[in-house]
């Protein structure tokens, strides 16, 4: 393959089709002056581009509406602080990306989702880690420059280039290409700039000389280019994506309703009882005369056992900062900071009505000096409302909770916390310990706090232990004990192509005979490291461990999510009678329908889930020319099965997902609607190509690691 052949038809600057129209910098003051209405008008002009970006995360029209609604509010709120350091389009895109992350985190807890209009390549993109997927989509599909992508993701250009390379490599494996191509590693870092024709001439000449003599690099770079072209072609296919009729009108109506909301008048709050004040004075006197520790004071006065533990360990201080707006009083009780997060304990009281409100990070809650004092390398953790907490059962108008913010950059600082919106809890009428919904705009107002915090130290312990899970090497690298969490860092070997670990779940850690449960909500995160490329590094969060020097760590596994490569091609013929069956992975799968028309319908099913080897299939439909068909709509049905084999049909008898013991979701029916690339063109499916399948397996292994 010649160098000219490698670069044939590959001009990345000409391939970008979804650039967001630029806005004149002189228009920014006008937008500020006209307020929300002008921002909505601008979003309306760019709605298709932003809809496509949001769809890459959410795949759900209702959540897309929520994305636009939240993003417009955030743009309006942050507009006074827009400094023209980057383009307005790049700035807005960064806000949309952040909102997408927030909504997609909540989406990950849902069992079933709408599957309308997915594009097949999205299925492969979904299997990348979040950072790789974002970098690839912004660069190759949205057409932002490398510098703009780096700014949006708040990383260096070098880091962004690494994400593009690793993401394309992963896509190549997922899509079945390049598994046997291994170019020379020292030239990998030049691939993207070379294909984009931005490589410095001396390096370009050296690379081309090498490629000319190295067959492995020719094949490696060729398949790498194919994936990049596929990504660029995706933007062409997305050009026909239609925003649902009336979409922006619905968003406008929600914003208008928000503006019309009548806020309650401020009223006085009942002061603390004399008894508590008396106890406080008494204990201060005891401490002064006898030197008695303040732990006794916190034992008497702090009802929240978690916060009380922090205070008794001198890991934070009692603050009791208060702010009142529109009949709602917020109290910041304390803030505990470490290298993992900044944990803020709060109390919210509706002075006049029996309502309970909670805070939602990045939706009405922001840190005004975040860039100055907080680290962008971490992500805040999600803590769901605790309705079983005794304090939240006592009063119908008071809620006590906690919210996670980013960790501090330095040892201490003052957090400027601004709150403009609270969400109202709506409890289940039959089970008061469950939430049926959030009222998105429970109450609006303005509550401002300056919170002094001191970052508490963490202690790291090297583990150096290796084991195997389902025949795949897993190593335990490091244990970090921080005040707010215990963090286990581990690696998974990804050299095998026929079987891979997508996710490894832990039940608990036992350190010095103390058990700490794994975080149920988003406690697993991927780490970018410069270690061996054959290993992927992750972290899992567990409950905190106070004042312990570990001598032995016992790691209890819970389950593993596996991906299997098992190729099979089934010929399709629309003239045959259906259903027809075929055997795959030990199961009998039915092709229920192959119906050719203006829109071609294909339906496959497998209702027998007992002892089934797979939960979901990875497949595509090929047309007459052997190319992947353009799916315009896909939906599925399925059933949840718990660890004991009990099945739950969520359409018949909805059950809270977190209440099911280690559920597995088996897809039973998959429906696809196919449409030709050209208008009016019929799709005649010829092949069902299965790449592999995904499955979850329960584990009960315990790995013992001695630190002595």
């Amino acid at each position: 393959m010649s160098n000219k052949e490698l670069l044939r038809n590959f001009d990345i600057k000409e391939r970008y089709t979804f650039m967001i129209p630029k806005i004149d910098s002189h228009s920014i003051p006008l937008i500020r002056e006209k307020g929300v209405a002008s921002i909505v008008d601008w979003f309306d002009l760019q709605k298709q581009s932003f809809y496509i970006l949001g769809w890459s995360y959410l795949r759900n029209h209702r959540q897309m509406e929520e994305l636009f609604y939240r993003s417009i509010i955030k743009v309006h709120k942050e507009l006074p602080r827009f400094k023209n350091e980057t383009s307005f389009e790049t700035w807005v895109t960064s806000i949309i990306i952040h909102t997408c992350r927030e909504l997609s985190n909540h989406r990950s807890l849902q069992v079933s989702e709408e599957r309308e209009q997915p594009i097949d390549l999205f299925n492969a993109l979904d299997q990348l880690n979040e950072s790789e997927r974002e970098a690839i989509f912004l660069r190759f599909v949205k057409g932002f420059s490398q510098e703009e992508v780096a700014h949006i993701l708040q990383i260096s250009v070098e880091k962004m280039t690494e994400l593009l390379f690793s993401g394309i490599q992963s896509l190549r494996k997922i899509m079945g290409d390049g598994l046997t191509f291994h170019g020379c590693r020292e030239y990998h870092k030049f691939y993207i700039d070379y294909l984009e024709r931005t490589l410095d001439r001396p390096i370009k000449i050296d690379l081309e000389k090498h490629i000319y003599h190295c067959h492995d690099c020719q094949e490696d770079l060729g398949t790498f280019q194919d994936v990049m072209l596929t990504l660029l072609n995706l933007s062409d296919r997305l050009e026909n994506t239609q925003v649902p009729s009336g979409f922006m009108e619905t968003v406008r109506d929600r914003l208008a309703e928000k503006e019309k909301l009548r806020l309650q008048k401020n009223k006085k709050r009942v002061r603390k009882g004399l008894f508590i004040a008396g106890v406080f004075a008494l204990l201060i006197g005891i401490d002064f005369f006898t030197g008695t520790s303040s732990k006794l004071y916190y034992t008497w006065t702090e009802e929240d056992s978690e916060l009380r533990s922090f205070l008794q360990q001198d890991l934070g201080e009692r603050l009791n900062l208060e702010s009142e707006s529109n009949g709602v009083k917020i109290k910041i009780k304390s803030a505990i900071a470490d290298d993992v997060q900044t944990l803020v304990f709060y109390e919210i009281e509706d002075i006049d009505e029996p309502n309970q409100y909670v805070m939602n990070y990045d939706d009405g809650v922001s840190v005004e000096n975040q860039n100055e004092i907080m680290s962008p390398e971490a992500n805040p953790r999600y803590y769901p409302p605790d309705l079983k907490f005794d304090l939240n059962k006592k009063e119908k108008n008071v809620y006590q909770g906690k919210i996670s913010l980013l960790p501090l950059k330095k040892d201490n600082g003052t957090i400027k916390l601004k709150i403009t919106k609270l969400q109202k809890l709506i409890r289940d009428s039959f089970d008061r310990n469950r939430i049926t919904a959030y009222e998105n705009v429970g109450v609006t107002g303005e509550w401002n706090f300056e919170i002094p915090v001191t970052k508490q130290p963490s202690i790291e312990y090297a583990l150096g232990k290796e084991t195997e899970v389902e025949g795949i090497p897993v190593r335990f690298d490091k244990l970090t004990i921080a005040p707010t969490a215990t963090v286990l860092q581990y690696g998974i070997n990804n050299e095998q192509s026929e079987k891979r670990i997508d996710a490894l779940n832990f039940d608990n850690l036992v350190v010095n005979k103390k058990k700490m449960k794994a975080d149920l909500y988003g406690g697993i995160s991927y780490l970018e490291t410069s270690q061996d490329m054959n290993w992927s590094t992750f972290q899992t969060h567990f409950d905190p461990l106070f004042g312990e020097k570990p001598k032995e760590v016992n790691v209890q596994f819970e389950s593993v999510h596996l991906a299997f490569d098992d190729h099979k091609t089934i010929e399709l013929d629309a003239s045959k009678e259906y259903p027809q069956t075929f055997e795959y992975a030990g199961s009998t799968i039915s092709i229920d329908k192959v119906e050719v028309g203006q829109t071609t319908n294909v339906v496959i099913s497998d209702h027998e889930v007992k002892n089934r080897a797979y939960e979901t299939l990875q497949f595509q439909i090929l047309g007459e020319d052997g190319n992947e068909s353009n799916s315009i709509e896909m939906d599925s049905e399925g059933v949840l099965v718990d660890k004991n084999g009990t099945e739950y049909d969520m359409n018949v008898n909805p059950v809270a997902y977190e209440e099911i013991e280690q559920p597995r979701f088996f897809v039973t029916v998959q429906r696809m609607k196919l449409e030709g690339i050209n208008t009016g063109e019929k799709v005649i499916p010829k092949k069902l190509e299965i790449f592999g399948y995904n499955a979850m397996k329960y584990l009960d292994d315990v790995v013992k690691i001695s630190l002595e």
Side-chain angles (χ1 to χ4, degrees), residues 108-113 434 561 606-610 612 614-616 636-669 696 698:
S108 66
L109 300 177
Q110 298 172 359
V111 177
S112 60
E113 308 169 20
R434 289 181 55 190
H561 293 264
D606 182 3
H607 293 277
E608 181 57 53
V609 300
K610 187 175 182 180
R612 201 169 88 177
Y614 72 93
E615 291 159 31
T616 59
S636 61
E637 297 177 11
V639 60
L640 277 174
V641 180
D642 68 14
K643 188 175 182 180
N644 301 314
T646 304
E647 297 184 11
Y648 301 83
D649 188 334
M650 305 301 285
N651 295 319
V652 176
N653 183 28
V655 179
Y657 182 76
E658 62 271 15
E659 294 180 6
I660 302 176
E661 184 180 6
Q662 298 185 46
R664 303 172 66 188
F665 184 67
F666 290 86
V667 174
T668 55
V669 180
M696 169 183 166
Y698 298 113

Side-chain angles (χ1 to χ4, degrees), residues 422-433:
L422 302 172
Q423 289 184 324
K424 178 181 174 181
L425 294 180
I426 303 175
R427 293 179 182 253
D428 191 301
S429 56
F430 297 102
D431 184 356
R432 297 288 295 172
N433 291 330

Side-chain angles (χ1 to χ4, degrees), residues 31 161 250 267 291 300 307 337 380 403 447 517 539 624 673:
I31 291 178
T161 305
T250 302
K267 291 188 177 181
W300 277 71
L307 176 55
I403 188 170
W447 300 265
K517 295 293 292 183
Q539 285 184 342
E624 286 184 300
K673 290 186 178 181

Side-chain angles (χ1 to χ4, degrees), residues 19 155 177-178 197 209 225 247 272 306 311 320 329 379 415 433 481 523 581 586 589 603 614 631 654 658 661:
M19 293 295 290
I155 56 177
D177 292 327
R197 301 184 181 183
K209 287 180 180 178
Q225 173 191 262
F247 176 82
K272 293 172 62 177
E306 182 180 10
L311 298 177
N320 291 335
K329 176 165 283 189
N379 290 311
I415 297 172
N433 291 330
I481 298 180
T581 62
I589 301 174
V603 180
Y614 72 93
S631 298
E658 62 271 15
E661 184 180 6

Side-chain angles (χ1 to χ4, degrees), residues 184-336:
C184 301
R185 184 173 296 181
E186 62 268 28
Y187 291 97
H188 285 175
K189 60 185 177 182
F190 304 128
Y191 279 10
I192 292 175
D193 287 340
Y194 178 70
L195 292 172
E196 291 185 351
R197 301 184 181 183
T198 58
L199 193 62
D200 291 342
R201 181 171 176 78
I203 302 176
K204 176 177 178 290
I205 294 173
D206 178 66
L207 175 62
E208 289 181 342
K209 287 180 180 178
H210 174 79
I211 292 174
Y212 182 82
H213 296 285
C214 181
H215 179 74
D216 285 343
C217 281
Q218 290 177 18
E219 297 294 342
D220 190 34
L221 185 57
T223 57
F224 197 89
Q225 173 191 262
D226 290 342
V227 176
M228 289 180 68
L229 283 171
T230 301
L231 290 165
L232 294 172
N233 289 333
L234 176 60
S235 65
D236 297 330
R237 295 165 59 189
L238 287 171
E239 187 175 6
N240 297 320
T241 299
Q242 297 298 318
V243 179
S245 176
F247 176 82
M248 285 303 298
E249 286 72 17
T250 302
V251 176
R252 287 180 192 272
D253 290 344
R254 288 186 62 186
L255 290 166
E257 182 180 352
K258 173 183 179 294
E259 292 298 321
K260 293 177 182 178
L261 188 65
R262 295 190 178 274
L263 305 176
Q264 300 177 354
K265 294 182 178 180
N266 294 342
K267 291 188 177 181
K268 293 182 179 180
R269 181 190 180 192
V270 178
R271 300 296 179 183
K272 293 172 62 177
L274 294 176
F275 174 74
I276 296 298
V279 170
F280 175 78
L282 174 63
L283 291 176
I284 290 296
I286 293 174
D287 185 53
F288 179 79
F289 287 110
T290 68
T292 304
S293 170
S294 60
K295 293 182 180 180
L296 179 61
Y297 164 68
Y298 293 126
T299 302
W300 277 71
T301 61
E302 181 51 58
E303 296 179 281
D304 186 334
S305 60
E306 182 180 10
L307 176 55
R308 184 168 66 240
S309 297
F310 286 124
L311 298 177
Q312 290 177 338
Q313 296 288 332
D314 294 325
L315 297 173
E317 60 178 331
R318 194 74 169 267
L319 297 175
N320 291 335
L321 305 174
E322 295 184 355
S323 179
E324 185 178 331
S325 179
N326 299 317
V328 174
K329 176 165 283 189
I330 299 178
K331 176 193 292 184
I332 302 299
K333 301 173 66 176
S334 188
I336 315 300

Side-chain angles (χ1 to χ4, degrees), residues 36 78 82 108 125 292 387 462 527 618:
V36 173
E78 297 295 331
F82 176 61
S108 66
L125 288 167
T292 304
L387 301 187
L527 292 180
Q618 302 296 329

